Amino acid sequence: MTRILVVDDEPQILRALRINLRARGYDVEVADTGAAALKAAAAHPPDLVVLDLGLPDLDGTEVIRGLRGWTGVPIIVLSGRAGSEDKVAALDAGADDYVTKPFGVDELLARIRAVTRRLAPATPAVPALRIGRNAVDLADRTVTRDDGAEVKLTPTQWAMLEKLLRNPGKLVSQRQLLHDVWGPEYQQETNYLRQYMAQLRRKLEDDPARPRHLITEPGMGYRYRP
């Protein structure tokens, strides 16, 4: 799972990005100062950084230089500074892209996908997997029935399903699923898991009441049985 560090001193932006990115299957950590960002990046190296320039303690370009001293992680600047000088300074410091506030979440997500495709090493293709009469393609994020009909899943359903399918035969604990799909503050909300697992079974299992592939391990977690 791609880990993204979001650095911004505006709580509403941190909250919005954390919700939107996690709903799309990213592992998200947030920081509201430059010092906290550098500390978080050192403790848990991210796969990508989304960085505001106007931080209360350090200028964003200083954070970029601090990161570039030891990592080539992609950095997308997210800033209210629209001047060309600010863009040039950020890019010269080592940023990979620059998005001006106010911004659209869809545009930022497209920039994230573009940067990670361009800079990340290629990963082996994940074969299509089957659940009952459905073929699940994790690379294209599609589910197709044997009759050709497409099954629509919500971003949260996708995040939960992908976590299980990428660990075939292995137990994925309740705490791990809640942490990775909803965030660390939701690790006691086991009712979320029951609700979304029931939705997935209704959409994917031949007999949702007697699932063959999306298995509950009572009191422990869930397992994808190929």
Side-chain angles (χ1 to χ4, degrees):
M1 179 179 292
T2 301
R3 173 188 289 272
I4 298 180
L5 173 61
V6 180
V7 188
D8 201 298
D9 65 340
E10 297 183 48
Q12 63 272 27
I13 289 182
L14 286 181
R15 182 176 182 275
L17 289 181
R18 181 170 51 204
I19 291 172
N20 278 280
L21 291 171
R22 282 178 176 164
R24 288 160 176 83
Y26 295 104
D27 184 11
V28 182
E29 186 169 3
V30 298
D32 57 6
T33 66
L38 292 172
K39 182 177 179 180
H44 303 285
D47 300 303
L48 184 143
V49 177
V50 176
L51 173 69
D52 182 23
L53 293 183
L55 299 171
D57 57 342
L58 298 172
D59 189 82
T61 55
E62 296 180 57
V63 178
I64 295 172
R65 293 190 186 98
L67 291 170
R68 283 291 172 259
W70 62 275
T71 179
V73 62
I75 300 172
I76 297 178
V77 169
L78 188 64
S79 176
R81 302 177 188 175
S84 60
E85 291 184 1
D86 293 303
K87 294 180 181 179
V88 169
L91 294 170
D92 282 347
D96 297 284
D97 201 352
Y98 197 107
V99 179
T100 304
K101 295 179 181 178
F103 64 95
V105 172
D106 288 341
E107 178 191 356
L108 178 61
L109 289 167
R111 301 288 187 105
I112 289 172
R113 290 193 297 269
V115 168
T116 51
R117 279 197 306 268
R118 187 169 68 246
L119 298 178
T123 56
V126 178
L129 303 167
R130 292 198 63 84
I131 299 179
R133 297 184 178 92
N134 304 288
V136 184
D137 190 321
L138 293 178
D140 291 338
R141 296 177 73 84
T142 59
V143 179
T144 308
R145 296 194 190 282
D146 288 344
D147 62 6
E150 184 177 354
V151 180
K152 298 290 187 180
L153 298 182
T154 68
T156 303
Q157 289 169 352
W158 262 117
M160 185 171 176
L161 180 64
E162 184 171 4
K163 184 69 179 179
L164 294 172
L165 266 57
R166 289 191 182 278
N167 295 277
K170 297 180 181 179
L171 173 69
V172 182
S173 71
Q174 294 177 345
R175 289 178 61 85
Q176 188 66 49
L177 274 171
L178 288 166
H179 178 279
D180 290 352
V181 177
W182 284 274
E185 64 270 31
Y186 291 89
Q187 291 188 34
Q188 303 303 317
E189 305 292 342
T190 54
N191 59 303
Y192 286 19
L193 298 176
R194 291 191 294 272
Q195 175 185 346
Y196 277 87
M197 180 56 71
Q199 294 171 4
L200 286 171
R201 286 171 176 157
R202 284 196 295 269
K203 290 184 176 184
L204 301 176
E205 291 276 7
D206 293 341
D207 184 353
R210 297 176 178 82
R212 296 179 56 201
H213 302 283
L214 302 177
I215 307 302
T216 299
E217 300 291 352
M220 295 186 293
Y222 297 88
R223 189 189 311 269
Y224 164 59
R225 181 183 294 160

